Amino acid sequence: AIAVLPFADLSQARDQDYLCDGIAEELIAALSNIDGLRVVSRTASFQFRDRGGNVRLVGEQLGADVLLEGSVRKAENRLRITVQLVDVATGYQRWSQRFDRVIDDVFAVQDEIAGSVAALLRGELTREERQSLARPQTAMAAYESYLRARQLLPRMTRPDLVQSAAAFEDAIALDPGYAPAWAGLATVSATLFEWFGSKATDLRRAEDASRTALSLAPDLAESRVARGFVLSLHRRY
């Protein structure tokens, strides 16, 4: 069992929290596809943001055997990601690595981290499992808009949800073929409909976005979840 903790923002301006959270969430999603690994949910692991402290205690509370933690430092178009895999029982590091890349290589770094961790914990991966680690890719500008939108979504206030929808739309404008952004737009629109006024425009936007996400990436979990959410609002159980 592994828990991916929120990554620390070491950028000079301390303004990359959305990128730190996004990288950690992508790793959670990728590792969840590996048979033989149990991955602690984002909701559970992210409650330990900024707490630091006793590795064994954190691991025990999360029911994890190992913790994956790291940091992100962004400067202009350069990105430094440092990760370490910590054994809960002993507190010792099993593995640590630093990645210095240009910002557009963030997807390749995420795939490499997930693949290395999965191989260390479970052994050699099959070709299908290596393929499952790869997530849809896009230009960095679209990805940053997507991450900003996703960070706002769980806050569940109307202003945050409206901003989230706008950021998802920005990502879609930059890359109309990026399925995760369409799934996010469907989810936030459906949430606005369910909790904030039941406006027909929100449901219509959720319907169109969920269909687009599913057509672009039918094997993406977010596409299925978004479509299921919208169908439930139509009472098409």
Side-chain angles (χ1 to χ4, degrees):
I2 180 172
V4 181
L5 300 180
F7 280 32
D9 179 11
L10 299 185
S11 302
Q12 188 172 7
R14 295 294 192 271
D15 59 351
Q16 299 299 310
D17 55 334
Y18 68 94
L19 181 59
C20 296
D21 286 359
I23 290 172
E25 289 177 11
E26 293 288 357
L27 290 171
I28 290 171
L31 292 170
S32 297
N33 289 323
I34 303 301
D35 187 38
L37 293 186
R38 291 183 293 115
V39 185
V40 176
S41 72
R42 175 201 184 280
T43 304
S45 60
F46 272 40
Q47 67 180 309
F48 290 94
R49 182 194 306 276
D50 300 327
R51 291 191 186 183
N54 191 309
V55 170
R56 293 183 184 180
L57 183 59
V58 171
E60 288 172 2
Q61 290 184 357
L62 290 174
D65 303 302
V66 290
L67 302 178
L68 182 67
E69 54 186 10
S71 62
V72 177
R73 186 191 303 271
K74 181 184 175 187
E76 297 180 351
N77 72 326
R78 301 293 302 179
L79 191 67
R80 171 174 289 179
I81 302 175
T82 304
V83 291
Q84 49 269 338
L85 193 65
V86 182
D87 189 280
V88 170
T90 65
Y92 295 144
Q93 286 190 7
R94 279 199 191 183
W95 170 77
S96 179
Q97 191 163 340
R98 188 178 75 190
F99 301 85
D100 289 315
R101 305 286 178 83
V102 295
I103 190 71
D104 289 335
D105 285 345
V106 64
F107 297 103
V109 173
Q110 289 172 174
D111 291 348
E112 191 172 341
I113 294 170
S116 297
V117 170
L120 281 165
L121 297 180
R122 222 260 354 240
E124 190 64 30
L125 303 183
T126 66
R127 184 178 65 178
E128 291 76 15
E129 286 175 328
R130 290 197 173 278
Q131 291 175 342
S132 76
L133 293 176
R135 301 268 293 165
Q137 300 187 13
T138 184
M140 192 61 200
Y143 188 53
E144 287 190 300
S145 291
Y146 166 74
L147 292 181
R148 292 182 190 277
R150 197 165 67 175
Q151 185 184 50
L152 291 164
L153 179 54
R155 298 179 184 177
M156 285 296 291
T157 70
R158 182 174 178 79
D160 284 323
L161 291 172
V162 170
Q163 288 185 52
S164 177
F168 279 129
E169 288 177 329
D170 288 343
I172 290 167
L174 290 165
D175 183 358
Y178 190 48
W182 284 105
L185 180 61
T187 299
V188 74
S189 301
T191 303
L192 282 166
F193 176 84
E194 184 176 31
W195 293 99
F196 295 96
S198 299
K199 293 183 179 178
T201 52
D202 289 329
L203 185 58
R204 188 160 51 248
R205 182 171 62 176
E207 171 70 24
D208 294 342
S210 68
R211 286 183 178 275
T212 302
L214 199 60
S215 67
L216 289 170
D219 294 331
L220 186 69
E222 290 95 320
S223 299
R224 296 284 176 177
V225 171
R227 187 63 188 146
F229 189 2
V230 175
L231 288 172
S232 73
L233 295 177
H234 282 301
R235 301 184 183 276
R236 292 167 57 190
Y237 304 117

